[in-house]
Amino acid sequence: MLTAKLSNGKIITVAEKNNLTFLRHLRKQEKFYCRQCGERVILKLGSKRIPHFAHEKGSPCLERFEPESEYHNRGKLYLYEWLQQNSLSPQLEVYYPAILQRADVVFAYNGKTYCIEFQCASISEQEFIKRTKGYQRLSLNPLWILGGKNIFRKNRQKYSLSAFHYLFLQKTSSNQLYLPAFCPETDKFIFLANIMPVSVRTSLANIFIKPRNFVSVNDLLAPSFPSFPSVDSWREEMKQFKTTFFIGKHIYNSPFLKELYSLSVNPRLLPPYVGIPLPSNPVIEESPFIWQTYIYIDLLAGRKQGQSFSFSDVNLSVLKRIRKNQLHLRSFPNIKQSLLPFALAEYMHCLVKAGVLIKGDGNTFYIPRDIVPYCGFGGFEKEEERFYLQFSFQQNFDGREYF
Ligand SMILES: [Zn+2]
């Protein structure tokens, strides 16, 4: 903790009096109390760690169950100072008794009150949602910022992301998904944007790293990200994913593959538009190769020229797969609308652009030519080349005309 109460009820913040001599003197004169439980706390002054308050061992205070690391305390302090430099009047460690929660830093901006949760240790999805809803109940806006050391980079555009990482996702006004993070060790903000999952754990993404003092509050609250991961990297990753997928032991009892074989669909010769990167892909936990295959077999494979289906057919087919536990939706506590319709609309839009479908009136899609399986890899590779030549990421696509 970086704040405590004095005997006279005043709040002392180490940030404002970050002066060892002063604090040493104060420690001789004063007693300090936890703002949350009222118990005595100790002011810890060392040369390596930033000054902070701590409960005595064995204290029943909730604060002790989630002890804060040096990394967390330093990050909290830097974010607080950054908001001060931006001429806002932030408050450090604000406790809300009604919800039994303590925000790391609270500030007001453009008529809204934001509660920063600088989260460095992994917490459960339930806890994340509970705290998010707690703030919302008090009409406060939670602002989750991930501790930067939790970002695991595999190579330039490739990251290992767990369910915990995905909880932090936010959406820009142009529907780009991003994860805000801050690292007090490098003193930089980190934005992971345009996250395109290849598999459950691996994702391509763009990283934007900016020193704290070059980031404005608006950059944090309403960022925009101009570039997308390269299509070539995507093709390479997807190829690798499929290679591993088809040699794993699981393939002998994979219900997914069994279903494909029962329909005489060769999973190695699916069309190139199965397994493509779309901005809303993170919404479904499974690889886009899996969920786009389901759409392919449910609505496209073997269909004849002139046949049609509607957007709600697509939606229903995916919901059915979710009910059967074949697909799973990720939860994004910070994003209010459901992203599934966006992901499906992006996919349909892409199929229309690639000429696989023609969009008719309302939200109907027609099949312009028979959808037949490829014979042999030569045909597949040529098709894939042709498909990706015309493929591009759709910026500012809001999908509403589709649903
Ligand atoms: Zn306490």
Side-chain angles (χ1 to χ4, degrees):
M1 291 182 291
L2 301 177
T3 60
K5 228 187 311 193
L6 300 177
S7 320
N8 62 6
K10 271 194 177 165
I11 308 292
I12 171 99
T13 300
V14 296
E16 281 149 349
K17 304 272 193 284
N18 198 352
N19 170 322
L20 274 183
T21 326
F22 170 81
L23 290 173
R24 263 194 211 109
H25 176 72
L26 191 72
R27 187 161 65 172
K28 282 188 198 135
Q29 313 279 315
E30 273 286 356
K31 291 191 176 74
F32 308 103
Y33 301 91
C34 172
R35 295 171 64 196
Q36 203 161 317
C37 69
E39 241 187 86
R40 277 283 294 275
V41 288
I42 310 157
L43 173 56
K44 299 224 168 176
L45 302 171
S47 54
K48 284 200 188 113
R49 299 181 52 141
I50 56 168
H52 61 281
F53 298 97
H55 281 83
E56 308 219 15
K57 276 205 180 82
S59 152
C61 180
L62 272 179
E63 201 273 329
R64 261 201 70 78
F65 292 115
E66 206 189 325
E68 292 173 333
S69 61
E70 164 76 1
Y71 190 90
H72 183 216
N73 274 337
R74 196 170 285 274
K76 185 155 70 171
L77 187 59
Y78 285 3
L79 290 169
Y80 170 80
E81 288 172 352
W82 170 70
L83 291 161
Q84 276 187 326
Q85 284 152 17
N86 278 276
S87 313
L88 298 169
S89 306
Q91 288 173 277
L92 199 56
E93 296 176 348
V94 179
Y95 182 62
Y96 296 97
I99 52 172
L100 305 173
Q101 283 174 223
R102 188 183 62 190
D104 288 325
V105 186
V106 174
F107 67 99
Y109 185 74
N110 280 347
K112 284 183 174 175
T113 304
Y114 293 92
C115 296
I116 295 184
E117 283 270 1
F118 178 56
Q119 195 63 37
C120 301
S122 188
I123 54 169
S124 71
E125 182 179 327
Q126 292 94 303
E127 178 65 20
F128 196 108
I129 294 174
K130 197 196 89 189
R131 286 199 218 165
T132 303
K133 288 194 170 153
Y135 291 125
Q136 287 166 348
R137 232 176 35 236
L138 302 182
S139 303
L140 302 163
N141 300 277
L143 180 53
W144 290 89
I145 300 178
L146 177 70
K149 64 176 175 136
N150 294 288
I151 293 178
F152 305 110
R153 200 169 183 167
K154 290 177 142 181
N155 68 30
R156 203 171 67 84
Q157 294 194 330
K158 195 169 152 187
Y159 299 85
S160 177
L161 301 177
S162 68
F164 173 64
H165 291 99
Y166 281 102
L167 295 172
F168 289 78
L169 287 209
Q170 300 206 27
K171 194 157 75 75
T172 66
S173 54
S174 57
N175 294 314
Q176 286 176 290
L177 297 176
Y178 69 99
L179 182 165
F182 177 68
C183 178
E185 275 164 12
T186 56
D187 202 4
K188 282 169 181 161
F189 279 101
I190 304 163
F191 296 92
L192 218 50
N194 303 316
I195 296 169
M196 310 272 175
V198 180
S199 66
V200 177
R201 285 303 288 258
T202 302
S203 190
L204 293 189
N206 296 121
I207 198 163
F208 298 87
I209 304 174
K210 264 191 187 174
R212 175 170 52 131
N213 294 332
F214 289 95
V215 174
S216 70
V217 179
N218 208 50
D219 289 338
L220 175 64
L221 296 177
S224 68
F225 307 102
S227 53
F228 281 93
S230 92
V231 172
D232 287 342
S233 321
W234 175 267
R235 286 178 67 181
E236 191 47 46
E237 286 306 322
M238 197 26 78
K239 202 167 147 190
Q240 262 185 39
F241 169 81
K242 288 189 208 169
T243 309
T244 331
F245 187 79
F246 291 129
I247 55 166
K249 270 188 190 145
H250 70 277
I251 63 164
Y252 299 107
N253 39 32
S254 149
F256 171 74
L257 291 175
K258 274 184 191 157
E259 184 176 350
L260 291 185
Y261 290 128
S262 77
L263 296 165
S264 309
V265 171
N266 182 343
R268 291 166 194 269
L269 292 177
L270 289 165
Y273 52 81
V274 170
I276 56 171
L278 302 162
S280 300
N281 272 1
V283 69
I284 297 175
E285 208 177 282
E286 281 75 15
S287 167
F289 174 71
I290 310 276
W291 68 260
Q292 292 170 10
T293 296
Y294 280 132
I295 292 182
Y296 174 73
I297 58 176
D298 288 348
L299 297 151
L300 300 167
R303 301 302 194 279
K304 299 275 181 257
Q305 178 181 12
Q307 284 188 288
S308 67
F309 58 86
S310 68
F311 186 76
S312 54
D313 293 330
V314 185
N315 203 27
L316 280 175
S317 114
V318 171
L319 291 176
K320 215 158 103 188
R321 298 286 179 180
I322 293 169
R323 264 202 303 281
K324 287 186 185 166
N325 264 328
Q326 292 167 323
L327 297 176
H328 300 85
L329 290 181
R330 283 203 174 90
S331 94
F332 305 119
N334 295 307
I335 301 172
K336 288 197 182 95
Q337 358 120 263
S338 156
L339 288 188
L340 183 62
F342 283 96
L344 302 181
E346 280 167 1
Y347 191 43
M348 290 300 111
H349 188 60
C350 205
L351 296 184
V352 169
K353 275 185 69 184
V356 181
L357 296 172
I358 290 176
K359 194 169 179 289
D361 288 343
N363 49 19
T364 311
F365 301 95
Y366 291 93
I367 290 164
R369 58 199 142 98
D370 297 1
I371 297 179
V372 290
Y374 297 102
C375 317
F377 288 96
F380 171 79
E381 272 168 17
K382 244 202 274 159
E383 273 302 305
E384 193 191 33
E385 194 58 45
R386 210 175 59 87
F387 174 81
Y388 276 106
L389 270 178
Q390 57 81 46
F391 179 85
S392 63
F393 287 105
Q394 286 113 44
Q395 293 196 47
N396 299 314
F397 172 70
D398 82 354
R400 248 161 286 194
E401 56 173 307
Y402 286 81
F403 51 90

